[in-house]
Amino acid sequence: MAEVVIVDHREQAGELAAHAIRSLIEQQPDAVLGLATGSTPLPVYQALARSLEANPLDVSAVRGFALDEYVGLPEGHPESYRAVITREVVEPLGLTPSLVHLPGYNSPAIETAGANYERDITDAGGIDLQILGIGSTGHIGFNEPGSSFASLTRIKTLTEQTRQDNARFFDSIDDVPRHCLTQGLGTILRARHLVLLAFGEGKADAIAAAVEGPLTASQPGSAIQLHPHVTVLVDEAAASKLQNADYYRYTWANRPDWQTI
Ligand code: GLP
């Protein structure tokens, strides 16, 4: 079962996840992080940047693999996930840019991009900690409903709902790409620790389906139920449709002293 932690505000979720990442890097200076984009993980990166500023740690050997990338944006577009990851993660944390990878950049052709990305992740020894957000369609990464639980990195077509959700980052919806490259659900399930974050009422249905719903490709987030080490960090609004919310609160309040996420 996933460990569900219901927090008062998103900064608290950011602090918890940042603490887990920091501990990982302290134990393993060349840790491999799975990096998510979107607005949800920002408190994690901000809390980690604050922690590194207050108490420096050598992160120059840390490696990163982004979950996904748009296909078809002009090179250097500010909303490409390469640009977003550089702006929100690599620069504020001081990571080594050449050690942070996104799908599609290590391949001469789109047809081989997925296989090459899988090879690069495997060669790095796999992802130690994967940060995840969740889309309103229930997608994790860009694995839209119907994605196989065994899927690996590949090209996907975005749903119109996802294009509309992401249009806020672009001048017009016409500028939002129709395709992406995304780690598959199978790729995500190979990471050693999944940390899924969600905030706000708009994510309540997707979180309930992911944590408590039946396992179904129609709700790609439900794939997390197959993973032995998942932490779900949600605010009250995103937790509002969880049937066992009281049990999750009780479990967290009574966790053993030694237990971290
Ligand atoms: C995009 C990303 C997902 C992310 C989702 C939610 O579609 N590919 O990784 O989880 O948006 O975004 P937000 O966190 O901004 O709600």
Side-chain angles (χ1 to χ4, degrees):
M1 191 189 98
E3 179 178 46
V4 181
V5 183
I6 303 172
V7 296
D8 293 332
H9 46 81
R10 58 186 71 193
E11 285 69 31
Q12 199 183 341
E15 302 279 349
L16 284 168
H19 183 264
I21 296 170
R22 189 183 172 109
S23 306
L24 172 68
I25 299 170
E26 282 168 355
Q27 286 163 33
Q28 190 188 329
D30 66 346
V32 181
L33 303 178
L35 302 167
T37 52
S39 51
T40 306
L42 294 180
V44 180
Y45 304 135
Q46 288 159 0
L48 188 55
R50 282 197 303 274
S51 164
L52 293 174
E53 199 178 41
N55 192 2
L57 178 70
D58 181 7
V59 297
S60 62
V62 170
R63 295 165 291 167
F65 285 91
L67 269 176
D68 43 18
E69 175 59 295
Y70 290 115
V71 169
L73 283 181
E75 201 180 317
H77 191 287
E79 292 307 326
S80 70
Y81 283 169
R82 167 163 286 236
V84 172
I85 292 273
T86 300
R87 201 162 59 226
E88 310 286 6
V89 187
V90 175
E91 288 175 353
L93 300 184
L95 301 184
T96 303
S98 60
L99 297 182
V100 177
H101 309 276
L102 290 97
Y105 294 92
N106 189 14
S107 176
I110 192 89
E111 290 85 349
T112 49
N116 286 359
Y117 203 57
E118 291 294 326
R119 189 200 55 217
D120 291 346
I121 294 173
T122 305
D123 287 351
I127 291 169
D128 293 302
L129 186 150
Q130 175 66 59
I131 302 164
L132 294 169
I134 192 162
S136 65
T137 64
H139 68 238
I140 53 176
F142 266 138
N143 293 282
E144 297 284 24
S147 295
S148 162
F149 284 178
S151 53
L152 301 178
T153 306
R154 70 225 184 281
I155 192 165
K156 285 289 286 182
T157 304
L158 301 175
T159 61
E160 275 308 295
Q161 180 65 53
T162 296
R163 292 185 68 239
Q164 281 166 21
D165 287 350
N166 289 2
R168 67 189 193 279
F169 296 113
F170 293 84
D171 292 337
S172 115
I173 185 147
D174 299 331
D175 296 339
V176 185
R178 290 199 155 72
H179 296 98
C180 64
L181 281 158
T182 181
Q183 286 188 30
L185 295 173
T187 319
I188 292 168
L189 289 173
R190 288 178 188 165
R192 295 181 188 92
H193 180 193
L194 305 181
V195 179
L196 170 62
L197 301 105
F199 310 119
E201 212 183 328
K203 301 291 173 72
D205 285 321
I207 282 294
V211 176
E212 296 179 341
L215 273 178
T216 168
S218 299
Q219 287 289 342
S222 66
I224 66 168
Q225 294 175 41
L226 293 167
H227 195 284
H229 188 191
V230 185
T231 308
V232 179
L233 301 172
V234 281
D235 64 5
E236 290 285 349
S240 59
K241 296 194 174 163
L242 289 171
Q243 299 205 347
N244 295 325
D246 286 345
Y247 175 62
Y248 307 138
R249 285 195 190 88
Y250 178 86
T251 304
W252 181 245
N254 292 290
R255 68 190 180 283
D257 291 342
W258 47 264
Q259 194 188 322
T260 52
I261 65 164

